[in-house]
Amino acid sequence: MAQQAGRGLLVIALALIVVITVTDLGIGTSVHLGPLLVIAPTLTASFAGPRLTALVGVLAQAALVIISVFHGGLTTTNHVAQLIALAVLSALVVFIAYVRERRARELSRVRSVAETAQRILLRPPPRRIGPLRVTWLYLAAEDEAQIGGDLLAVARAAHPCTRVLIGDVRGHGMASIGEAAVVMGAFREGAHRYASLPELVSAVEESVCRNLDEVAETAHDAGEHFITAIMIDIHDHGPQAEMLNCGHPPPLLIRGDQVTVLNSRRPAPPLGLCALCTRNDRTDPFTLEPGAMLLLYTDGVIEARSPTGAFYPLAERVAAFPSSGPDALLHRIHRDLLAHTGEQLTDDAAFLIIERTPSRHLHRPHLMSHTDGSPPSTTG
């Protein structure tokens, strides 16, 4: 499509050279249209590289020479001035095209590096892990990167259990990758080593505090580096699950016709505050039965604003969607979020949906709230 548009604009540029030349020759010396020939290389520079722009500039210069020959010769002061002006302006637009093309190559390299970093750091979770189905989506706010400060991971524990992490580093873009890498590495290592969820969270906290100075510029903004996160244990046998929320937006539990907000009764402080806080060793239990889905997300989702300034109401929108599997649900949320923001995200956004054994009978969900710390209702 872009190539077709480029060819069309090139035809227009060449046609302009012909039309301006023929018109100038036809109307005589009373009106000088030769200076308008600069439009052709300028138009070409908007879509083409420096070589094609230079070629069109040479053709425009040749056309002006033809006009000059028929209208008094090349030695007249007016025609010499026109030729010099066209040559200078053509050289300028060629230089602009060169700068733009070099910038495009640099941007392509940056995106390639970012995509490689994403594949290494945010290794895609398996589609199936234990009794669970997993799907995820990452939306980076940075135009020049495919990765930012949001993080997610799924890992198996030593006992029959799946461990889940979703988090958000303060800030976004390439500068936050180092902090995200510390959290992800500590989680993946600790998921197999520690028996309980509080022990795992403490181990991740210790790693962040130990390595934060090396990966973040704490000298310039000390105390401003932290990571909100949720870590979850989902047992293989039975519907039991538990979470420990470290200052992160609460997940949504979707079961049949119910959407439950899993607010924590015992929230822990964000990771990375180190000596400023004490770690919570109590978790929030809940049930994830066959057919139920757990939707985790980062604050870039619920803080996404519409052009009028309204926040994205994730829980209400999910409750309004027809029930479906995790892939279809993620697609609906993605499309709806972009429509809400007018295709413009100001912060990174990540989604992780986990389903235990798909249900055959799907219903339209409605919104509920879970704030008392007890397991959600298991009745449809």
Side-chain angles (χ1 to χ4, degrees):
M1 190 68 179
Q3 291 181 347
Q4 293 178 351
R7 285 194 292 267
L9 290 174
L10 178 60
V11 170
I12 292 175
L14 297 176
L16 283 173
I17 294 177
V18 175
V19 170
I20 292 172
T21 302
V22 173
T23 304
D24 197 301
L25 292 174
I27 63 177
T29 59
S30 58
V31 177
H32 299 281
L33 299 181
L36 296 178
L37 288 168
V38 74
I39 297 174
T42 303
L43 178 62
T44 306
S46 68
F47 65 89
R51 293 183 180 180
L52 184 57
T53 302
L55 176 59
V56 174
V58 170
L59 294 176
Q61 193 79 6
L64 186 57
V65 169
I66 295 174
I67 293 173
S68 300
V69 169
F70 281 89
H71 286 170
L74 295 173
T75 58
T76 64
T77 303
N78 182 45
H79 290 151
V80 170
Q82 289 183 24
L83 288 168
I84 293 175
L86 179 59
V88 171
L89 291 174
S90 296
L92 179 60
V93 295
V94 168
F95 176 74
I96 292 173
Y98 167 74
V99 171
R100 193 193 70 248
E101 186 177 71
R102 186 176 66 176
R103 170 65 173 168
R105 288 197 300 265
E106 292 175 352
L107 180 58
S108 178
R109 287 195 293 267
V110 169
R111 286 175 173 167
S112 177
V113 170
E115 290 170 0
T116 301
Q118 184 184 47
R119 287 193 295 268
I120 295 173
L121 179 60
L122 287 179
R123 295 197 298 268
R127 296 284 296 173
R128 297 292 300 235
I129 182 167
L132 308 175
R133 288 177 57 195
V134 180
T135 187
W136 67 287
L137 176 66
Y138 194 105
L139 303 173
E142 291 285 348
D143 292 335
E144 298 184 1
Q146 300 298 317
I147 188 171
D150 291 359
L151 52 101
L152 52 88
V154 178
R156 293 291 289 170
H159 52 292
C161 172
T162 298
R163 285 182 160 163
V164 181
L165 164 70
I166 190 166
D168 184 3
V169 178
R170 177 184 175 271
H172 59 266
M174 298 295 288
S176 59
I177 292 179
E179 296 170 64
V182 171
V183 177
M184 298 280 283
F187 171 80
R188 286 173 175 145
E189 176 66 22
H192 305 276
R193 178 174 296 181
Y194 298 99
S196 71
L197 195 57
E199 289 177 319
L200 174 59
V201 174
S202 296
V204 174
E205 168 76 0
E206 290 175 6
S207 180
V208 170
C209 293
R210 186 170 57 251
N211 296 287
L212 191 61
D213 290 338
E214 298 181 6
V215 298
E217 297 182 1
T218 55
H220 300 289
D221 51 1
E224 296 298 326
H225 290 268
F226 57 86
I227 303 98
T228 66
I230 290 179
M231 297 188 204
I232 297 176
D233 274 0
I234 303 175
H235 301 280
D236 287 0
H237 306 296
Q240 292 77 23
E242 57 182 334
M243 73 174 182
L244 208 159
N245 191 331
C246 302
H248 198 78
L252 304 180
L253 180 62
I254 306 167
R255 182 186 179 277
D257 60 350
Q258 297 180 354
V259 175
T260 304
V261 182
L262 295 180
N263 293 306
S264 175
R265 286 188 60 192
R266 296 173 285 272
L271 303 171
L273 298 183
C274 306
L276 299 179
C277 66
T278 57
R279 185 54 49 196
N280 190 350
D281 60 354
R282 300 182 65 185
T283 62
D284 290 286
F286 64 96
T287 59
L288 184 67
E289 295 189 335
M293 292 187 293
L294 188 65
L295 170 59
L296 299 105
Y297 55 93
T298 57
D299 61 6
V301 178
I302 56 176
E303 293 179 1
R305 291 179 181 267
S306 68
T308 61
F311 289 114
Y312 181 67
L314 176 64
E316 289 80 2
R317 294 295 179 91
V318 171
F321 293 148
S323 290
S324 58
D327 293 318
L329 175 61
L330 188 60
H331 177 72
R332 287 192 178 97
I333 297 174
H334 182 200
R335 186 174 55 189
D336 190 57
L337 176 63
L338 293 181
H340 176 82
T341 60
E343 307 288 331
Q344 296 293 327
L345 289 176
T346 58
D347 194 6
D348 305 322
F351 300 91
L352 181 64
I353 300 180
I354 298 172
E355 180 189 40
R356 186 197 291 270
T357 309
S359 174
R360 296 182 180 180
H361 303 287
L362 300 176
H363 309 280
R364 185 183 183 85
H366 64 268
L367 178 64
M368 298 181 64
S369 180
H370 171 57
T371 57
D372 60 359
S374 61
S377 170
T378 59
T379 59

